[in-house]
Amino acid sequence: MRVYLDNGTTTPVAPEVVEAMLPYFTEKFGHPVFPYSLGQEAADAVERAQEIIARSINARPEEVVFTSGATQANDMAIRGVAYANRNRGRHLITTKVENPSVLRVCERLEKEGFRVDYLPVDAEGFVDTAELEKRLSDETILVSVANVNDEIGTIEPVEEIGEILRERQRKIYFHVNAAAGYGRVEVDVKKIGADLVSLSAHKIHGPKGVGALYVAEGTPIEPVYFGYISLFNLRPGTENIPGIVGFGRAVELMMENFERDVAHMTRLRDRLISGFEEIPHTLINGPRGKKRSPANVSCSFKGLEGESMMLHLDLNGISVATGSACSTTKLEPSHVLTAIGLKAAVAHGTIRFTLSRYNTEEEIDYTLSVVPRVVEQLRRISPVKPEQL
Amino acid sequence: MRVYLDNGTTTPVAPEVVEAMLPYFTEKFGHPVFPYSLGQEAADAVERAQEIIARSINARPEEVVFTSGATQANDMAIRGVAYANRNRGRHLITTKVENPSVLRVCERLEKEGFRVDYLPVDAEGFVDTAELEKRLSDETILVSVANVNDEIGTIEPVEEIGEILRERQRKIYFHVNAAAGYGRVEVDVKKIGADLVSLSAHKIHGPKGVGALYVAEGTPIEPVYFGYISLFNLRPGTENIPGIVGFGRAVELMMENFERDVAHMTRLRDRLISGFEEIPHTLINGPRGKKRSPANVSCSFKGLEGESMMLHLDLNGISVATGSACSTTKLEPSHVLTAIGLKAAVAHGTIRFTLSRYNTEEEIDYTLSVVPRVVEQLRRISPVKPEQL
Amino acid sequence: MTVEYTERGMLKYSEKLLERFRNPKHIGEMENPTVVAEEGDPQCGDMFRLYLKIEDDRIVDAKFLSFGCAANIATGDMTVELVKGKTVAEAERLQIKEIADALGGLPLIKMHCAVLSYKTLKKALAEYRKSRAGSVSPPQG
Amino acid sequence: MTVEYTERGMLKYSEKLLERFRNPKHIGEMENPTVVAEEGDPQCGDMFRLYLKIEDDRIVDAKFLSFGCAANIATGDMTVELVKGKTVAEAERLQIKEIADALGGLPLIKMHCAVLSYKTLKKALAEYRKSRAGSVSPPQG
Ligand SMILES: Cc1ncc(COP(=O)(O)O)c(C=O)c1O
Ligand SMILES: Cc1ncc(COP(=O)(O)O)c(C=O)c1O
């Protein structure tokens, strides 16, 4: 049996999405910059996708700029707003548990003379909003917080943060990286009070290589990429038209099936959690219930190492992520697991199971039959006793 | 009849390319960063594409970095090398006839305190290499020249330029934007002596949203994009895997058919040129024969305006580009046509016809029957007499 | 700098405009016009020539020639359409916005086309007034 | 800074290594080993325990336990394979490179795994020498 449980890393493209994209490769292949009919067809397709995505987040179509992914959207948003507001202050606030795509940009800005505070989180991964209030200063220009933590599934209090920022007299821009949250929780830019929101298609059964940045009208933002302008001043280069069309279709499917998918994933998630809790010396990371992404199960199996576990599950047909879900080349344990206070030795034994609408009850049965066996097998060959950790 | 003659702007994706991409949407959809089998499959696909592209330009696979297009490749290359070498000097040289994707980056660097010289060209669009030698200084760190001009098809003397640079004691890096030349002329990084070469998939029957940058080993280059690193340090973000696979396949087809395609396009090109020369008050821009891209015909029909002509041809099923092939929102005439000395009034009446392997003799017959009629029709309603220009 | 929205928004033609461009009704030369006016410059990419035949202070016929983009042709044709049959005084009250509105709107970057045909019309009417100076009553407020 | 090549190059496992990881031949605990040595730290993500049974200065049996990644398990298994049946003196001459080569190469970033099993072997052999000090002849050059 093949069971894909790494939907937090990337998802299979929905067949409907592939179908929607196909004509844009070979027939409607025009460049959107020209007003001849083939070009208009492409430009219209981009506009339709803007409309769909805008509707899904309660924004206006012109506020949606297409990018090559959430990484690019985050870079554009954070540096773009930081540069455009540098005269108002050079202080940014983010959290210790952001995706590397946000952290690396913040680190870059630190090198360029900006000051960045990284907010701590509690043992379940919730951002400390009291600490946020304390760190806000007359120099603060931007706050960036993901709505859902991609590693441990914590649904962050972004609405509360938006509220805190709105109450300040001085405008502080609010960026929300919703790459992990889109399709798992509601994303309403107005409710959140977000000025910038990053999205990625390949996390919601759209294609890799396309994402979007919501930029609220009037937000001061400088381009950080340069070159040939096709449709978007902020993001030069010929647009990935089939990708954009596929992204739009994926969002349509997401919105149509949202409640059903969330209920389905929640059910599977809770079955996995219950099953894993029966394995001795096992921790579930992140919160339970409504404050947890319906798609995420993060589990630390003490006394074993995640990469071996991941590859053993792969031998059994199950795809999962380990440690830092997004980076396996650094040898440190995941910064998120460290931030919630996990001991490194335990963090190294962490596996992330992430669900999608396509996972089935049978797949969960199978997973629950394989995982305990693999855990036992790996513990048997380990010199580290779980009870010592 | 539908005749697509704007292959310099973008090309239809080859059916073989779509076929190669398809499995990577729904089956082999893994993220290349993880060593489980689905991930390895994706990573292997990227490596294969690197090999194919490297072979096509006489480079090594590790020297090929995937981007979201030539625009991104140009930005990465020019700013990346400028920043990495700023301590050695702050002078760059490019030409007056580069694509906006190069010019906008150079203008940005000028704002940041770099000095950029824009070399003039002669009446056929050839870069003045004597002028290049004069402008080279102890401050020069980078020269950027396209191998083929995308508007008028001039094949630039990049090998000669590479030679001039190689003869200097001081290392001056050489960037070649080959977006318009790839698939039309040979691109051999060793023969050219290029340190950086930009490529784009959608100009050679690959998909939009993917390109590549060749970076010769050892070239000092700083990242200019920041975020989550997947496979490439220089270009963060999840790779467009199906796009990369499609790019690879497109390059395979390009290499297999290269000589035949070039001969075919040359024949069609020369038929178009001969036909247009019979239309009174008409100029062919750029050189003739071997120094002209086999895919390009640039034609100025005096006394009429290009956009109207483009849209009239579109009504007749023929897609072409006008004025500045890459930008229709600026109201100035194409900077390339100005640089070769065309009067603005003539430049405004310029149409670019660009060919691909898929164009047929019948399409050329049809085009040659339509164009003179449309020219006459537009001249009849024009207050500007061609003989006055 | 604030985010500028897609340049595309500035370029997109309405169906109405394209229809006018494809099938202009008033294009062509006119023999023996009462007045001819020209504005624009081919060096700048657009030029517009307007012919008016005026009888008893009424525009009984109008035609135009255009060197310019689709918007140029369409706005020219619409300008003629809007003034044909009108009195000179009525034509003098034509607004740029009316021309654009009648075409279902104009991309921002193409607004100058409406301005061009509008200016040519004004010039033609002024010339007409000048040639008739004294022989006709001044335009009503 | 010079361009760094794909991190992926640093991560890719050879087929040989993966095969070893999937089917290690020497993994498990050993009863009554002559010597046991341990290196690494679970806090750092890898730990390695080596059991040697030595008779007449010859390694007649060897086994290991691993807390670590696929490379850790595979290098451990290969290390055991390379010294089993060898004399202690021969085992002492084992090089890190031999371990990596026997696995068809190691990703750069995983080189520390070979180092870890190598160091554990050295430690075990040193301990063996120490416990036999005086009673056996010193290792040859
Ligand atoms: C929370 C989060 N942000 C950003 C990214 C990067 O997005 P993309 O792959 O679209 O560049 C990811 C995953 O890769 C993610 O999980
Ligand atoms: C010469 C040249 N360079 C760069 C580009 C931009 O490349 P891309 O569309 O891949 O961003 C183009 C065309 O768009 C081009 O013709």
Side-chain angles (χ1 to χ4, degrees):
Chain A
M1 194 170 198
R2 290 220 59 89
V3 184
Y4 186 72
L5 290 174
D6 196 15
N7 293 285
T9 295
T10 193
T11 56
V13 179
E16 298 93 329
V17 167
V18 178
E19 207 180 309
M21 292 169 74
L22 280 179
Y24 289 86
F25 291 116
T26 46
E27 297 152 40
K28 307 182 180 188
F29 59 82
H31 197 293
V33 91
F34 276 125
Y36 55 65
S37 32
L38 264 179
Q40 288 299 300
E41 219 165 44
D44 288 346
V46 174
E47 274 189 9
R48 272 197 307 278
Q50 279 183 303
E51 279 161 24
I52 294 165
I53 289 160
R55 208 176 319 123
S56 78
I57 59 172
N58 193 16
R60 292 190 303 112
E62 318 85 74
E63 295 174 318
V64 174
V65 176
F66 289 106
T67 68
S68 59
T71 297
Q72 196 178 57
N74 289 337
D75 191 22
M76 260 166 61
I78 298 173
R79 287 199 294 138
V81 170
Y83 297 157
N85 289 278
R86 60 172 16 130
N87 292 333
R88 296 177 57 238
R90 294 178 158 240
H91 178 229
L92 287 76
I93 302 178
T94 184
T95 82
K96 285 191 198 303
V97 295
E98 295 306 306
N99 184 269
S101 58
V102 167
L103 294 177
R104 295 297 93 77
V105 179
C106 291
E107 288 157 14
R108 170 70 192 185
L109 287 173
E110 287 184 291
K111 276 198 196 156
E112 295 178 5
F114 288 83
R115 192 163 58 77
V116 184
D117 274 325
Y118 300 87
L119 298 176
V121 298
D122 70 13
E124 289 185 322
F126 291 108
V127 170
D128 188 337
T129 52
E131 192 64 27
L132 169 68
E133 298 210 62
K134 268 189 245 160
R135 305 285 181 101
L136 286 173
S137 80
D138 281 354
E139 282 284 306
T140 314
I141 51 177
L142 181 69
V143 172
S144 177
V145 180
N147 62 340
V148 167
N149 184 276
D150 54 311
E151 289 195 37
I152 58 171
T154 312
I155 298 177
E156 299 293 352
V158 285
E159 292 186 22
E160 191 189 324
I161 294 171
E163 189 71 40
I164 291 170
L165 298 180
R166 255 196 308 254
E167 278 167 8
R168 311 287 293 197
Q169 292 204 313
R170 193 168 174 281
K171 176 68 186 169
I172 297 171
Y173 294 94
F174 186 23
H175 169 247
V176 173
N177 174 17
Y182 199 43
R184 282 76 174 177
V185 302
E186 188 197 44
V187 179
D188 180 322
V189 301
K190 301 293 188 311
K191 275 197 206 163
I192 297 173
D195 302 291
L196 305 120
V197 173
S198 302
L199 305 173
S200 180
H202 75 96
K203 309 273 185 187
I204 58 156
H205 308 293
K208 292 180 182 60
V210 55
L213 178 64
Y214 158 77
V215 185
E217 198 186 338
T219 304
I221 182 165
E222 265 184 28
V224 295
Y225 306 139
F226 303 94
Y228 156 64
I229 305 288
S230 171
L231 299 182
F232 303 102
N233 289 309
L234 278 179
R235 202 280 189 185
T238 299
E239 287 75 18
N240 177 352
I241 304 290
I244 288 171
V245 169
F247 190 8
R249 188 75 188 101
V251 173
E252 276 181 344
L253 294 171
M254 176 187 106
M255 296 311 285
E256 282 163 23
N257 303 308
F258 190 75
E259 308 220 330
R260 211 192 51 198
D261 287 350
V262 165
H264 176 67
M265 292 189 289
T266 304
R267 200 165 45 242
L268 302 188
R269 175 195 76 182
D270 292 342
R271 283 197 57 207
L272 280 181
I273 290 180
S274 306
F276 295 153
E277 282 182 323
E278 287 176 20
I279 302 174
H281 308 298
T282 296
L283 296 178
I284 305 294
N285 304 305
R288 310 296 171 103
K290 282 198 185 313
K291 294 286 184 72
R292 178 180 203 102
S293 162
N296 176 292
V297 177
S298 168
C299 212
S300 300
F301 303 103
K302 293 185 183 175
L304 56 82
E305 195 275 341
E307 193 205 87
S308 282
M309 173 95 181
M310 168 172 78
L311 290 175
H312 269 284
L313 290 177
D314 188 38
L315 290 177
N316 286 281
I318 304 174
S319 308
V320 299
T322 176
S324 171
C326 269
S327 145
T328 53
T329 52
K330 48 177 188 167
L331 297 169
E332 299 115 61
S334 143
H335 65 291
V336 174
L337 301 175
T338 306
I340 61 171
L342 231 55
K343 279 201 289 189
V346 177
H348 285 299
T350 303
I351 296 291
R352 186 187 71 170
F353 305 81
T354 40
L355 298 152
S356 86
R357 76 165 76 102
Y358 296 113
N359 291 117
T360 64
E361 300 280 351
E362 294 68 43
E363 291 177 351
I364 301 305
D365 292 340
Y366 176 73
T367 304
L368 287 173
S369 77
V370 170
V371 168
R373 185 160 48 77
V374 171
V375 169
E376 219 212 284
Q377 181 185 346
L378 285 171
R379 280 184 179 156
R380 217 167 34 227
I381 64 160
S382 172
V384 181
K385 294 289 146 262
E387 51 275 18
Q388 297 164 350
L389 296 177
Chain B
M1 195 168 195
R2 290 219 60 87
V3 184
Y4 185 72
L5 290 175
D6 196 15
N7 294 286
T9 296
T10 192
T11 56
V13 179
E16 298 92 329
V17 168
V18 178
E19 208 181 308
M21 293 170 73
L22 280 178
Y24 289 87
F25 290 117
T26 48
E27 297 153 40
K28 307 182 180 189
F29 60 83
H31 196 295
V33 90
F34 277 124
Y36 55 64
S37 31
L38 264 177
Q40 288 299 300
E41 219 165 44
D44 288 346
V46 173
E47 275 189 7
R48 270 196 307 278
Q50 279 182 302
E51 280 161 24
I52 294 165
I53 289 160
R55 208 175 320 122
S56 78
I57 59 172
N58 193 15
R60 292 191 302 113
E62 318 86 73
E63 295 174 316
V64 174
V65 176
F66 289 106
T67 69
S68 59
T71 298
Q72 195 177 58
N74 289 338
D75 191 21
M76 259 166 60
I78 298 173
R79 287 200 294 138
V81 170
Y83 297 158
N85 289 280
R86 58 169 21 125
N87 293 332
R88 296 177 57 238
R90 293 176 160 243
H91 178 231
L92 286 75
I93 301 177
T94 183
T95 81
K96 286 192 198 301
V97 295
E98 294 306 306
N99 184 269
S101 58
V102 166
L103 294 176
R104 296 298 92 76
V105 178
C106 290
E107 286 157 15
R108 169 70 191 186
L109 287 173
E110 287 184 290
K111 278 198 196 157
E112 295 178 6
F114 288 83
R115 193 162 59 78
V116 183
D117 274 324
Y118 300 87
L119 298 176
V121 297
D122 69 13
E124 290 185 321
F126 291 108
V127 170
D128 187 337
T129 51
E131 192 64 28
L132 169 70
E133 296 210 62
K134 268 190 245 160
R135 305 284 181 102
L136 286 173
S137 80
D138 280 354
E139 282 285 303
T140 314
I141 52 178
L142 182 69
V143 171
S144 177
V145 179
N147 62 340
V148 168
N149 183 277
D150 53 311
E151 289 194 35
I152 58 171
T154 313
I155 299 177
E156 299 293 353
V158 285
E159 292 185 25
E160 190 189 325
I161 294 171
E163 190 70 39
I164 291 171
L165 298 180
R166 254 197 309 254
E167 278 167 6
R168 311 288 292 195
Q169 291 206 313
R170 194 168 173 281
K171 176 69 186 166
I172 297 171
Y173 293 93
F174 187 23
H175 169 246
V176 173
N177 175 17
Y182 199 41
R184 282 79 175 174
V185 301
E186 186 197 44
V187 179
D188 180 322
V189 301
K190 301 292 189 312
K191 275 197 206 164
I192 297 173
D195 303 291
L196 304 120
V197 174
S198 302
L199 306 172
S200 181
H202 75 96
K203 309 271 186 190
I204 58 154
H205 308 292
K208 292 179 181 61
V210 55
L213 179 64
Y214 158 77
V215 185
E217 198 186 338
T219 304
I221 181 166
E222 265 184 29
V224 294
Y225 307 139
F226 303 94
Y228 156 64
I229 305 288
S230 173
L231 298 183
F232 303 102
N233 289 311
L234 278 181
R235 200 281 189 181
T238 298
E239 287 75 19
N240 178 353
I241 304 290
I244 288 170
V245 169
F247 190 9
R249 188 75 188 101
V251 172
E252 276 181 343
L253 294 171
M254 176 187 107
M255 296 311 287
E256 281 163 26
N257 303 307
F258 190 75
E259 309 220 329
R260 210 191 51 198
D261 288 350
V262 165
H264 176 66
M265 293 189 290
T266 304
R267 198 165 47 240
L268 303 187
R269 176 195 76 182
D270 291 341
R271 284 199 55 206
L272 280 180
I273 290 179
S274 305
F276 296 155
E277 282 182 323
E278 289 176 18
I279 302 173
H281 308 297
T282 295
L283 297 178
I284 305 294
N285 304 306
R288 311 293 171 104
K290 282 198 183 314
K291 294 285 184 76
R292 177 178 205 104
S293 161
N296 176 293
V297 177
S298 169
C299 212
S300 299
F301 303 102
K302 293 184 184 177
L304 56 81
E305 195 275 341
E307 193 204 87
S308 281
M309 173 93 182
M310 168 172 79
L311 291 174
H312 269 284
L313 290 177
D314 189 38
L315 291 177
N316 286 282
I318 302 174
S319 309
V320 300
T322 175
S324 170
C326 268
S327 146
T328 53
T329 54
K330 48 173 188 170
L331 299 170
E332 300 117 60
S334 146
H335 64 291
V336 174
L337 301 175
T338 307
I340 60 170
L342 232 53
K343 278 201 289 188
V346 176
H348 286 298
T350 303
I351 297 290
R352 187 188 69 172
F353 305 80
T354 40
L355 298 152
S356 85
R357 77 166 74 103
Y358 296 114
N359 291 117
T360 63
E361 301 279 353
E362 293 68 43
E363 291 177 351
I364 301 306
D365 291 340
Y366 176 73
T367 303
L368 287 174
S369 76
V370 170
V371 168
R373 184 160 48 76
V374 171
V375 169
E376 217 212 285
Q377 181 184 346
L378 285 171
R379 281 186 180 156
R380 216 168 33 229
I381 65 162
S382 171
V384 181
K385 294 290 147 260
E387 51 275 20
Q388 297 164 352
L389 296 178
Chain C
M1 148 181 188
T2 289
V3 58
E4 285 171 39
Y5 291 110
T6 74
E7 307 210 2
R8 141 105 169 142
M10 305 199 285
L11 246 185
K12 197 184 178 183
Y13 289 138
S14 69
E15 238 338 287
K16 258 190 195 159
L17 186 148
L18 284 174
E19 178 47 33
R20 270 285 151 182
F21 160 70
R22 285 183 212 118
N23 301 302
K25 295 180 195 160
H26 310 289
I27 212 159
E29 272 179 299
M30 184 189 283
E31 286 181 20
N32 303 319
T34 314
V35 60
V36 187
E38 208 169 76
E39 278 282 349
D41 178 352
Q43 294 294 118
C44 303
D46 51 7
M47 191 165 182
F48 190 73
R49 181 185 297 164
L50 183 67
Y51 302 92
L52 299 179
K53 182 158 288 170
I54 302 176
E55 290 172 7
D56 294 338
D57 269 1
R58 187 169 292 278
I59 301 170
V60 294
D61 197 9
K63 281 193 167 297
F64 75 103
L65 293 181
S66 155
F67 170 92
C69 61
N72 189 288
I73 292 176
T75 51
D77 204 59
M78 188 49 81
T79 304
V80 168
E81 176 117 345
L82 289 170
V83 299
K84 208 168 149 176
K86 297 260 169 75
T87 65
V88 169
E90 282 166 346
E92 283 171 334
R93 286 199 291 274
L94 183 74
Q95 305 275 314
I96 294 173
K97 195 173 171 308
E98 283 174 67
I99 305 170
D101 287 353
L103 289 166
L106 261 183
L108 254 185
I109 202 166
K110 296 293 188 180
M111 220 52 196
H112 68 277
C113 295
V115 173
L116 187 71
S117 54
Y118 170 83
K119 275 170 61 184
T120 318
L121 174 69
K122 288 277 147 159
K123 191 172 176 184
L125 295 173
E127 214 142 289
Y128 171 74
R129 290 283 186 203
K130 215 170 74 188
S131 68
R132 300 293 141 113
S135 71
V136 289
S137 54
Q140 295 126 290
Chain D
M1 149 181 189
T2 289
V3 60
E4 284 170 40
Y5 292 110
T6 75
E7 307 212 0
R8 139 102 170 148
M10 305 199 285
L11 246 185
K12 196 183 178 184
Y13 289 139
S14 68
E15 238 339 287
K16 259 190 193 160
L17 186 149
L18 284 174
E19 178 48 32
R20 271 283 152 181
F21 161 70
R22 287 183 210 117
N23 302 301
K25 295 181 194 160
H26 310 289
I27 212 158
E29 271 178 300
M30 183 191 284
E31 285 180 23
N32 303 319
T34 312
V35 61
V36 186
E38 207 169 75
E39 278 283 349
D41 179 352
Q43 293 296 119
C44 303
D46 52 5
M47 191 165 181
F48 190 74
R49 182 185 297 164
L50 182 67
Y51 303 93
L52 299 179
K53 183 159 285 169
I54 303 177
E55 290 173 6
D56 293 337
D57 270 1
R58 188 170 292 276
I59 300 170
V60 294
D61 197 9
K63 280 192 167 295
F64 75 103
L65 293 182
S66 156
F67 170 92
C69 62
N72 189 289
I73 292 176
T75 52
D77 204 58
M78 189 49 79
T79 304
V80 169
E81 177 117 344
L82 289 170
V83 299
K84 210 167 147 178
K86 298 260 167 75
T87 65
V88 169
E90 283 166 346
E92 282 170 333
R93 286 197 291 271
L94 183 74
Q95 305 274 315
I96 294 174
K97 195 172 170 308
E98 285 175 65
I99 306 170
D101 287 352
L103 290 166
L106 261 183
L108 254 185
I109 203 168
K110 295 293 189 181
M111 221 50 197
H112 68 276
C113 296
V115 174
L116 187 72
S117 54
Y118 170 83
K119 276 170 61 183
T120 317
L121 174 69
K122 287 276 148 160
K123 191 172 175 184
L125 295 175
E127 214 143 290
Y128 170 76
R129 290 280 186 205
K130 215 170 74 186
S131 69
R132 297 293 140 114
S135 72
V136 286
S137 55
Q140 295 126 288

